[in-house]
């Protein structure tokens, strides 16, 4: 029978009394070992409590403290910002306007007949004794007015519109190449693309029908009958700009141009439309006056492209014979010539037939120079 300190199965190796009394207190029986709770420590626990990890552990408090809600809120804010940007782009005050159909140019050309013979002298003498004595020379006479912004256009945009209109006036009224029937390309480049077909037709097939006069677009003389006696054209007038709509500006030009002209060097008669108006005085220059009233339209695209629409062109020019056809070129009556019996005709509003006959006016005597020593 085993003693009180022996294991339940007896002493190991069958030795009575256990053999080694000093180890009896640390020998565990199998039932004790089986009943013991095993626990394996982690690597951090085995390293000890004072060990500092090489990489800081990621905190998961974001998700535990409502992370999904914050993520949803962030997405909502991004969507709102994107929607606001799209809305502001649609509502931007300077957005590209809807395309507006370009209007055709309307024109009226009125010849002014003199009451007597056209005075002749040297150009300087003629200008000094005419109403154009104080006019400026050439492009210097086309001045920009004081500029203020409008409701939908900045001051810079208004200046741009006025500058484009000035360029058009200079190229179509002062450029020697244009005046003598040369290239019209500089003028054409300033015209809105929607009016180019009308411009080309007017120059190729001019007609006095209110929309096809070449002289509605520009000033030009027949070089076979007229020559510039002085390239320094006298100029006086005004430019103004106003807002036509939120997307367009209206520019108005009212200018008087005074040219010194003479017969060409070949000595052609300088007659008008086959009428016997007399021979021009050899060696004498005369003045020819053109008043142009123009209305331009410029939208935002025109401002960027440096071009314009010519909406209305009213031209009065003299001395001309009433029977002349100024729709093509201007054929001035030169020094010593007269309009003769070719006078402005009356219009009967009760008469049936053509309701819009060609107009003709009388050139006031005060608009003609009175040189002290005219050439006879």
């Amino acid at each position: 029978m085993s003693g009180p300190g022996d294991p339940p199965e007896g002493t190991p190796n069958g030795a009575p009394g256990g053999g080694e009394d000093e180890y009896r207190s640390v020998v565990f029986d199998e039932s004790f070992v089986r009943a013991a709770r095993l626990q394996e420590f982690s690597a951090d626990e085995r390293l000890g409590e004072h060990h500092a990890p090489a990489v800081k552990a990621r905190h998961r408090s974001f998700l535990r403290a409502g992370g999904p809600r914050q993520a949803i809120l962030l997405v909502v804010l991004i969507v709102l910002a994107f929607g606001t940007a799209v809305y502001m782009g649609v509502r931007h005050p300077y957005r590209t306007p809807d395309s507006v159909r370009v209007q055709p140019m309307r024109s009226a050309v009125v010849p002014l007949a003199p009451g007597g013979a056209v005075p002749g002298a040297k150009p300087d003498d003629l200008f000094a004794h005419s109403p154009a004595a104080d006019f400026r020379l050439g492009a210097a006479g086309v001045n920009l007015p004081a500029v203020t912004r409008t409701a939908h256009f900045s001051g810079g945009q208004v200046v741009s519109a006025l500058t484009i209109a000035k360029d058009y006036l200079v190229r179509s009224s002062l450029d020697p190449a244009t005046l003598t029937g040369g290239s019209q390309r500089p003028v054409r480049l300033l015209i809105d693309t929607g009016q180019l077909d009308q411009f080309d037709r007017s120059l190729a097939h001019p007609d006095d029908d209110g929309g096809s006069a070449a002289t509605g677009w520009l000033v030009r003389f027949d070089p076979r009958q007229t020559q510039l006696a002085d390239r320094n054209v006298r100029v006086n007038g005004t430019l103004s700009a106003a807002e036509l709509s939120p997307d367009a500006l209206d520019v108005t030009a009212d200018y008087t141009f005074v040219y010194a002209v003479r017969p060409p060097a070949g000595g052609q008669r300088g007659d008008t439309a086959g009428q016997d108006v007399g021979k021009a005085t050899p060696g004498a220059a005369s003045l020819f006056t053109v008043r142009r009233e123009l209305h331009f339209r410029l939208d935002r695209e025109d401002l960027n492209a440096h071009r314009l629409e010519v909406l209305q062109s009213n031209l009065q020019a003299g001395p001309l014979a009433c029977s002349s056809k100024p729709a093509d070129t201007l054929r001035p009556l030169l020094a010593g010539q007269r309009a003769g019996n070719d006078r402005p005709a009356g219009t009967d509003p009760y008469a049936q037939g053509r309701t819009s006959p060609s107009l003709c006016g009388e050139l006031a005597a005060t608009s003609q120079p009175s040189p002290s020593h005219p050439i006879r």
Side-chain angles (χ1 to χ4, degrees):
M1 182 174 180
S2 301
D6 294 332
E9 290 81 6
T11 60
N13 300 322
E20 297 180 358
D21 294 337
E22 64 271 20
Y23 295 107
R24 292 179 61 89
S25 61
V26 295
V27 174
F28 305 100
D29 58 13
E30 184 178 354
S31 60
F32 179 83
V33 173
R34 289 177 181 176
R37 179 175 176 270
L38 299 179
Q39 179 178 2
E40 183 177 359
F41 292 99
S42 66
D44 286 340
E45 290 173 331
R46 289 196 298 269
L47 291 174
E49 61 180 2
H50 299 292
H51 170 67
V55 179
K56 186 176 181 180
R58 180 181 299 176
H59 296 287
R60 301 182 180 272
S61 58
F62 173 80
L63 295 178
R64 290 197 299 269
R69 292 195 299 273
Q70 294 185 11
I72 293 173
L73 179 60
L74 180 60
V75 172
V76 171
L77 290 176
I78 292 174
V79 172
L80 288 176
F82 180 77
T84 302
V86 173
Y87 175 80
M88 292 301 294
V90 173
R91 299 292 297 175
H92 197 281
Y94 298 116
R95 69 186 186 278
T96 302
D98 296 335
S99 59
V100 178
R101 187 176 66 87
V102 177
Q103 301 181 28
M105 186 271 290
R106 306 298 301 170
S107 64
V109 182
V110 180
L112 302 177
V118 177
K122 294 180 179 180
D124 290 342
D125 196 17
L126 291 170
F127 283 124
H129 295 83
S130 75
D134 297 327
F135 286 10
R136 294 189 174 186
L137 302 181
V142 185
N143 294 319
L144 303 187
V147 173
T148 57
R149 63 168 294 118
T150 67
H152 299 90
F153 289 88
S154 67
Q157 289 173 316
V158 176
V159 170
S160 295
L162 292 168
T163 301
I164 298 170
K166 175 178 178 175
D167 289 346
Y168 182 85
L169 289 171
V170 171
R171 296 184 186 183
S172 65
S173 308
L174 300 174
D175 186 352
T178 301
L179 297 176
T180 56
S183 174
Q184 281 77 46
R185 178 174 172 79
V187 180
R188 192 178 188 274
L189 291 175
L190 289 173
I191 296 175
D192 189 283
T193 55
Q195 290 186 322
L196 290 180
D197 288 343
Q198 183 186 10
F199 177 84
D200 294 338
R201 288 195 307 270
S202 298
L203 268 65
H205 306 287
D207 192 8
D208 185 18
D209 60 359
S212 300
T215 48
W217 298 98
L218 46 83
V219 176
R220 67 176 182 177
F221 302 106
D222 186 344
R224 299 169 299 177
Q225 300 184 14
T226 307
Q227 186 179 71
L228 290 175
D230 189 344
R231 287 177 174 263
N232 292 321
V233 182
R234 271 57 174 182
V235 182
N236 187 54
T238 59
L239 268 177
S240 61
E243 187 171 305
L244 187 63
S245 71
D247 295 316
L249 289 169
D250 176 82
V251 176
T252 302
D254 185 357
Y255 275 86
T256 300
F257 303 90
V258 185
Y259 308 88
V261 296
R262 62 162 52 105
Q268 284 100 326
R269 291 191 344 160
D271 57 359
T272 304
Q275 298 295 321
D276 187 8
V277 296
K279 290 186 178 181
T281 304
S286 61
L287 297 187
F288 185 74
T289 303
V290 174
R291 180 177 179 179
R292 301 186 75 190
E293 297 176 87
L294 297 160
H295 285 272
F296 307 109
R297 179 185 181 274
L298 298 94
D299 57 24
R300 300 185 188 279
E301 185 177 353
D302 289 329
L303 293 177
N304 294 330
H306 200 82
R307 65 193 183 196
L308 47 72
E309 297 175 40
V310 184
L311 297 182
Q312 182 70 38
S313 172
N314 297 324
L315 182 143
Q316 301 176 27
L320 286 172
C322 288
S323 59
S324 65
K325 297 180 180 179
D328 181 12
T329 59
L330 300 173
R331 301 177 178 85
L333 294 173
L334 302 173
Q337 293 183 323
R338 297 174 179 269
N341 295 326
D342 191 13
R343 311 295 300 168
T347 302
D348 183 3
Y350 295 97
Q352 301 295 317
R354 186 178 179 184
T355 58
S356 57
S358 299
L359 299 177
C360 184
E362 185 171 355
L363 186 65
T366 55
S367 65
Q368 291 292 297
S370 53
S372 55
H373 301 288
I375 297 176
R376 298 293 183 182

